[in-house]
Amino acid sequence: MSGLFKFEQDFAASLRCIPMVVRYKLDHCGVKLKLVDWLRLDPSDRQILVDTPANHALAQQQYRHLIARLIAPAPIQDLAIAPNPAWQNLQALPEPLTQKLLELGLELGLAQWQQLSDLQRFVLIKLCRAQHENHNFVPALLEFGLLEY
């Protein structure tokens, strides 16, 4: 889970944007990291945040401490951790995703949704939000095998 997606390759070398895998970890750890704070980090520290796991409670706590250390003296900003995040719901497609697919004239079946990893579902939800740049939404669908070229 530590790698970048193909649709993120336009900024992969510099990590000038916060990659989805880091956003996923931040959501799990309850940390809001602003782009300005991300850009203040050394590129090697950005890569550490990409590579460091945060896949269970202890690792998430350690990840929070790592971020706090890296952005110091700036304080860490808390983010509410969703008790039942939409990407973990395997019983139905989230409404924002359904709406985005409808706008594009695309369909996604429940079985396809269920076969995605938590990270992939997280990515699709983040990329379909109205306030997010959506130019990577279709490339993500392609990369996840949900559309054909």
Side-chain angles (χ1 to χ4, degrees), residues 48-75:
I48 287 170
L49 290 175
V50 169
D51 295 336
T52 301
N55 53 356
H56 56 80
L58 179 58
Q60 291 163 1
Q61 183 180 11
Q62 292 169 337
Y63 199 81
R64 269 184 75 87
H65 290 297
L66 173 62
I67 293 168
R69 183 177 56 80
L70 292 175
I71 67 169

Side-chain angles (χ1 to χ4, degrees), residues 16-63:
R16 62 179 161 74
C17 295
I18 302 173
M20 285 294 178
V21 68
V22 173
R23 290 179 183 272
Y24 179 76
K25 294 173 191 180
L26 293 170
D27 275 28
H28 273 76
C29 296
V31 174
K32 179 167 181 60
L33 185 65
K34 294 181 181 176
L35 182 58
V36 67
D37 293 326
W38 173 259
L39 293 173
R40 284 188 195 128
L41 297 174
D42 289 336
S44 60
D45 290 336
R46 294 180 203 162
Q47 189 63 51
I48 287 170
L49 290 175
V50 169
D51 295 336
T52 301
N55 53 356
H56 56 80
L58 179 58
Q60 291 163 1
Q61 183 180 11
Q62 292 169 337
Y63 199 81

Side-chain angles (χ1 to χ4, degrees), residues 1-5 7 20-21 24 28 55 85-90 92 94 97 108-126 140-141 143-146:
M1 181 176 83
S2 66
L4 302 176
F5 291 106
F7 67 82
M20 285 294 178
V21 68
Y24 179 76
H28 273 76
N55 53 356
W87 61 86
Q88 289 181 346
N89 181 358
L90 298 178
L97 178 61
L108 180 65
L110 183 59
Q112 291 172 296
W113 175 252
Q114 292 169 338
Q115 291 176 355
L116 296 173
S117 70
D118 276 358
L119 176 58
Q120 289 171 323
R121 289 190 300 271
F122 170 87
V123 166
L124 291 179
I125 291 171
K126 291 296 184 184
L141 291 172
E143 184 172 342
F144 301 162
L146 300 173

